[in-house]
Amino acid sequence: MSMLKKTSRTFYIPISRLEPGLKEAVASAYLCMRAIDEIEDHPDLPDQTKINLLRGVSEAIRGLEPKLQLEALLIPHSNILPPVSVRIYDWLMLCPSSAQDIVKRYITMMSEQMAEWVHRRWTVHTEADLDAYTYSVAGMVGEMLSELWLWFDGTESDPVKAVAFGRGLQAVNILRNRNEDLERGVDYYPEGWDNEEMIRYAKRNLQQADSYIADLKPGPALKFCSIPLALAHATVNVISTGGTKLSRLNVLEIVKRVTG
């Protein structure tokens, strides 16, 4: 949980409030995803090294000796990779054994798709390209969470709306990080789009995300999803009026309102 707080204060809040068992499963998944995301976005790693590491992570997790394979793959790069990336095996082991297959399956898929996006130089020409990218890095997270809700207490959810939940959150991140992405030579906006089109894209997916959580039964899944979704809506509203992000005070106020 200490590493989780260092890597994302926003997701630390809803994860830390989950019940034992589900908390470890979601924390495990999030830390693994943060680990590979740091590889994909690393400013100093050559693209081919990123591709080799991401594909290597997928192969190691599916291999017979994942601990040894991950150590052999990642430790040689420990001088440049952040600690969260070097310790992927630790995060996998944090997950309850009965949920590990779910987390492993999605981490391997995401690693492979991230490697493909590095190979493609994150090229986005059309809205279909944007949909493909946001699915690779976030939409499948919504799918994974839906499987974890079902695993933990039988909570059922709409898998299509689950993708929109993840995709909407990622679209907000794209809006929020627009300048930083352009500085590193990456443009996730389809050709001809400006902030207005991306805001509409985000809002369209967030509306489906609203429907996704409206269908959830009362319980930990609903409590978890309500917090990042409320923060995403608020962030889009801030950006729509010329701002860039929520203040820390705004975040705390929203969390307090959502959680009562």
Side-chain angles (χ1 to χ4, degrees):
M1 296 307 292
S2 174
M3 180 65 75
L4 185 66
K5 192 171 185 178
K6 291 177 182 177
T7 55
S8 176
R9 290 185 177 182
T10 300
F11 275 95
Y12 170 80
I13 296 170
I15 293 174
S16 66
R17 298 171 64 89
L18 288 171
E19 282 81 349
L22 184 60
K23 175 162 65 174
E24 286 74 19
V26 177
S28 165
Y30 183 85
L31 286 166
C32 286
M33 289 183 290
R34 173 57 62 189
I36 58 176
D37 183 63
E38 291 283 357
I39 295 172
E40 182 200 10
D41 291 341
H42 200 289
D44 300 321
L45 282 175
D47 285 353
Q48 190 56 53
T49 302
K50 293 179 179 182
I51 292 168
N52 293 343
L53 288 175
L54 289 166
R55 289 177 176 165
V57 166
S58 178
E59 292 171 4
I61 292 174
R62 289 185 281 107
L64 297 177
E65 296 285 349
K67 184 177 189 294
L68 295 178
Q69 289 176 255
L70 286 168
E71 288 177 352
L73 178 73
L74 299 170
I75 288 178
H77 300 276
S78 59
N79 62 320
I80 191 170
L81 289 175
V84 68
S85 297
V86 179
R87 296 180 60 191
I88 294 178
Y89 185 77
D90 289 341
W91 314 142
L92 288 172
M93 291 301 99
L94 173 65
C95 185
S97 58
S98 56
Q100 280 186 13
D101 284 348
I102 297 172
V103 173
K104 288 179 178 179
R105 175 158 40 87
Y106 280 98
I107 298 307
T108 58
M109 287 193 298
M110 187 176 288
S111 295
E112 291 164 2
Q113 293 197 22
M114 281 183 173
E116 181 60 28
W117 279 103
V118 175
H119 177 71
R120 292 174 55 178
R121 297 290 302 150
W122 302 276
T123 301
V124 172
H125 294 299
T126 66
E127 186 172 342
D129 292 335
L130 177 61
D131 277 343
Y133 175 73
T134 53
Y135 173 75
S136 295
V137 299
M140 69 168 66
V141 178
E143 290 179 329
M144 180 199 65
L145 287 173
S146 283
E147 290 195 34
L148 289 177
W149 310 146
L150 187 64
W151 158 80
F152 182 68
D153 64 2
T155 295
E156 296 182 348
S157 56
D158 186 319
V160 175
K161 294 176 182 177
V163 171
F165 172 77
R167 183 172 275 148
L169 299 186
Q170 184 63 28
V172 174
N173 285 338
I174 290 172
L175 280 162
R176 190 165 51 87
N177 298 326
R178 172 68 166 161
N179 291 335
E180 291 88 341
D181 289 335
L182 290 176
E183 286 176 5
R184 65 189 182 95
V186 176
D187 187 356
Y188 296 114
Y189 283 40
E191 293 172 2
W193 278 33
D194 57 19
N195 268 13
E196 287 188 13
E197 282 82 9
M198 188 61 77
I199 287 170
R200 283 197 290 269
Y201 178 86
K203 287 184 174 180
R204 187 165 65 250
N205 281 287
L206 291 177
Q207 285 175 350
Q208 288 193 64
D210 287 336
S211 180
Y212 171 71
I213 72 166
D215 294 339
L216 294 173
K217 69 180 184 181
L222 178 59
K223 292 177 182 178
F224 175 89
C225 293
S226 297
I227 295 174
L229 185 54
L231 293 172
H233 276 296
T235 301
V236 168
N237 291 336
V238 167
I239 293 172
S240 298
T241 56
T244 56
K245 63 179 182 178
L246 297 173
S247 69
R248 187 64 186 158
L249 180 59
N250 290 149
V251 170
L252 294 174
E253 288 174 345
I254 291 168
V255 171
K256 184 176 180 180
R257 171 172 55 79
V258 171
T259 61

